[in-house]
Amino acid sequence: MELPVALLQSLEGVPGFNKESFEAIHRSGEQVTSVRINPAKAALLADGMESFRISLPVSGSIPWTSNGFYLSERPFFTFDPLLHAGAYYVQEASSMFVEQAMKQTLDLHSKLRVLDGCAAPGGKSTHLQSLISADSLLVSNEVIKTRASILEENLVKWGGANVIVTNNDPADFSGLKNFFDVLVIDAPCSGSGLWRREPEAIGEWSPHAVQLCSQRQQRILADYYPALAEGGTLIYSTCSYSKEEDEQILDWLMQNFELESLPIQTDPSWGVVTVQSSEAKAFGYRFFPDKLKGEGFFLACFRKKDGDQFHYKPSKKSKLQKASKAEAAAIMPWLKPDAFVQLWKQQEQVLAFPALLEQELQVVADHLYIRSAGITVGKLAGQQLIPDHALAMSTLLQPSIVAVSLKKEDALQYLRKEQVIIPDAPAGWALVKYENLPLGWVKILPGRLNNYYPSSWRILKSGNN
Ligand code: SAM
């Protein structure tokens, strides 16, 4: 693998950069595979962590995160029903460092409003959802429509109710001044940090592309910045090695906004390199694949010193309507008795959203295009609920709902949206489970069964390993 000379030259003098070992690790062909487990679903698994170890070749823990694991080889994830159940997310190890930024700069037990501004496909968002408290809010925004669908799919599978997925331009957040306590910008970048995984991307790299990315990063940050409250935390990251997208962006931020750079403690054994920007001496954290088990990554953290607190002004005409008492009575038996949620109508659909976040939902609905909010419970046909797939994936689901357990082969048939045979099942709606985790719904009718797995998410590949 030949790396661009212009990149190698631009990195001379960057702390932690060693041209020989950097080139050698790119040439080695070594691949690192890692996953992050969903703690809310791991708790439900039939054999806890053992269920993971059966389907995944876990070889060790990622030291800067609590639920991240290295795998000794890359399995065919598609053929693991646990992936489709939202039990884990396949994610690059270095990028899980966002956990340190969150834990070290915030009180994660407090009620926080978090915005993930560049969210698709959802690696950081699913991670953030696992880190925040149940009465905190995560708004996951993705500007590109097709990518917003993938983001929504991954967050639905993750199952958290305190999430709103939006599909807006960063400039649309101007109406939400001072609303968020945390702003995460995992910016689109020139991507040099991922070349070991995607060597074909090397050909697209150029110093000019780096400049364009740097300008775009500044525009995104400037558009989102007003939405962060005074005292709020800004987390900025890229998967680029270029100073123009990393340290120079930190200097640009410090020059243009009232920010304090926040240091993050790292253990020397992790191999993370602490750097400081040349002008403002802002702290940054560089990940080099020849220094640790992970890909190229960069992260920095700031506290906002200007701005104000958010003041809630109820809008005169809310777009959202609460479900009626009769509708709520039909739906509540499907939810855990302690699910403290408000039910809302969105056209035909009913959705469940944490009751303590009612104001937040109203504010977001007033200003943004919502793809999904909380858990889509389903549609009511009279007093009967037609349950949505999101309800099956949700951690709010009533645990005593009728369920059938499938072995791996049948679970894969189900996920292909093909016929599965379920002997002796009672007629009506039933959950399909694998290792005690819900995969979706079936409706059992006399002599046949309807598979309600979402068509667009079904497994298209044949085989099983
Ligand atoms: N945070 C994601 C994760 O962990 O899975 C990865 C985000 S990726 C590095 C950057 C995202 O920014 C992409 O989904 C891309 O579509 C989006 N993006 C591209 N141009 C943008 C823009 N002008 N404003 C905001 N987001 C943009």
Side-chain angles (χ1 to χ4, degrees):
M1 184 187 296
E2 280 304 307
L3 301 176
V5 176
L7 175 78
L8 297 172
Q9 281 173 349
S10 75
L11 294 179
E12 287 301 341
V14 167
F17 175 67
N18 177 317
K19 185 166 176 284
E20 284 68 42
S21 60
F22 185 80
E23 285 190 293
I25 198 80
H26 281 86
R27 250 185 260 120
S28 72
E30 183 197 290
Q31 293 280 338
V32 179
T33 304
S34 48
V35 298
R36 188 171 35 73
I37 279 166
N38 183 347
K41 298 220 171 175
L44 304 173
L45 272 169
D47 296 318
M49 268 308 285
E50 270 317 295
S51 303
F52 283 110
R53 289 183 195 280
I54 291 164
S55 58
L56 299 175
V58 173
S59 61
S61 303
I62 301 170
W64 45 85
T65 179
S66 12
N67 291 305
F69 296 91
Y70 293 113
L71 306 185
S72 58
E73 58 183 14
R74 193 176 179 89
F76 284 100
F77 288 112
T78 306
F79 300 137
D80 182 9
L82 291 182
L83 179 75
H84 305 271
Y88 62 89
Y89 189 93
V90 183
Q91 190 182 19
E92 196 286 298
S94 304
S95 58
M96 298 182 203
F97 187 67
V98 76
E99 180 168 330
Q100 291 299 324
M102 292 287 288
K103 282 187 171 161
Q104 293 190 33
T105 64
L106 292 155
D107 172 7
L108 294 177
H109 299 291
S110 64
K111 179 175 172 174
L112 296 171
R113 296 171 185 158
V114 181
L115 169 59
D116 184 355
C118 301
K124 306 282 178 314
S125 276
T126 52
H127 197 174
L128 294 167
Q129 199 281 330
S130 297
L131 291 169
I132 60 178
S133 63
D135 61 355
S136 292
L137 171 72
L138 172 64
V139 174
S140 287
N141 185 59
E142 169 57 44
V143 65
I144 298 174
K145 196 173 168 189
T146 48
R147 291 179 60 84
S149 312
I150 300 163
L151 173 67
E152 187 183 352
E153 175 178 341
N154 284 326
L155 282 165
V156 164
K157 287 179 180 166
W158 207 246
N162 53 350
V163 182
I164 304 178
V165 179
T166 58
N167 176 207
N168 283 84
D169 190 277
D172 299 340
F173 284 73
S174 60
L176 288 169
K177 280 202 177 58
N178 307 309
F179 183 65
F180 292 98
D181 305 300
V182 185
L183 170 58
V184 178
I185 302 295
D186 185 32
C189 68
S190 60
S192 45
L194 299 181
W195 282 346
R196 283 204 300 175
R197 288 202 328 207
E198 296 161 15
E200 61 286 356
I202 297 179
E204 286 158 32
W205 187 92
S206 70
H208 180 63
V210 169
Q211 287 304 335
L212 291 180
C213 285
S214 170
Q215 287 160 11
R216 182 165 58 176
Q217 286 148 0
Q218 292 170 20
R219 281 199 302 276
I220 293 172
L221 285 161
D223 280 346
Y224 278 128
Y225 186 78
L228 189 61
E230 183 184 6
T233 298
L234 166 65
I235 299 174
Y236 173 74
S237 62
T238 73
C239 55
S240 163
Y241 297 112
S242 295
K243 280 181 285 185
E244 291 86 340
E245 300 175 75
D246 296 343
E247 288 87 343
Q248 288 178 17
I249 292 286
L250 309 192
D251 274 338
W252 176 85
L253 279 167
M254 295 289 278
Q255 278 151 15
N256 288 280
F257 304 100
E258 289 295 315
L259 288 164
E260 175 194 351
S261 164
L262 300 179
I264 301 170
Q265 299 305 315
T266 58
D267 188 302
S269 68
W270 296 353
V272 179
V273 179
T274 303
V275 292
Q276 280 187 285
S277 64
S278 59
E279 303 291 323
K281 306 289 174 219
F283 295 101
Y285 298 87
R286 278 185 172 264
F287 290 65
F288 289 104
D290 50 329
K291 297 231 154 11
L292 45 75
K293 239 178 124 181
E295 303 307 316
F297 185 63
F298 177 87
L299 184 141
C301 212
F302 300 89
R303 171 109 45 242
K304 180 168 172 174
K305 295 194 290 186
D306 59 350
D308 203 344
Q309 296 306 307
F310 181 77
H311 299 290
Y312 175 59
K313 282 190 239 80
S315 79
K316 291 198 184 80
K317 232 172 128 200
S318 170
K319 285 188 199 151
L320 291 162
Q321 188 198 340
K322 287 185 180 167
S324 68
K325 277 201 173 130
E327 288 165 334
I331 287 167
M332 281 314 194
W334 294 74
L335 301 176
K336 271 183 186 167
D338 60 353
F340 189 41
V341 290
Q342 172 66 52
L343 297 174
W344 302 87
K345 291 289 286 287
Q346 204 182 27
Q347 283 118 27
E348 298 261 86
Q349 300 280 2
V350 178
L351 61 91
F353 201 75
L356 292 173
L357 292 170
E358 184 174 329
Q359 269 187 18
E360 281 81 356
L361 177 61
Q362 294 277 13
V363 171
V364 174
D366 285 347
H367 293 95
L368 300 174
Y369 172 65
I370 294 183
R371 295 258 335 194
S372 67
I375 303 300
T376 304
V377 178
K379 276 185 207 160
L380 280 167
Q383 285 305 294
Q384 300 297 317
L385 180 71
I386 303 170
D388 192 90
H389 186 69
L391 178 62
M393 296 288 99
S394 164
T395 50
L396 296 180
L397 184 69
Q398 162 68 261
S400 61
I401 280 183
V402 176
V404 287
S405 293
L406 298 184
K407 295 263 181 263
K408 188 171 176 186
E409 280 304 311
D410 289 332
L412 290 172
Q413 279 290 97
Y414 173 73
L415 293 167
R416 293 194 171 95
K417 205 171 165 67
E418 287 174 4
Q419 270 294 324
V420 280
I421 311 291
I422 300 174
D424 309 327
W429 289 103
L431 267 180
V432 169
K433 288 187 175 179
Y434 173 73
E435 291 282 331
N436 205 37
L437 276 192
L439 294 177
W441 298 106
V442 286
K443 192 165 188 191
I444 300 166
L445 305 162
R448 71 187 170 96
L449 174 152
N450 288 341
N451 182 335
Y452 274 78
Y453 196 74
S455 301
S456 52
W457 298 2
R458 73 188 193 279
I459 299 179
L460 297 169
K461 280 187 201 151
S462 54
N464 62 5
N465 58 49

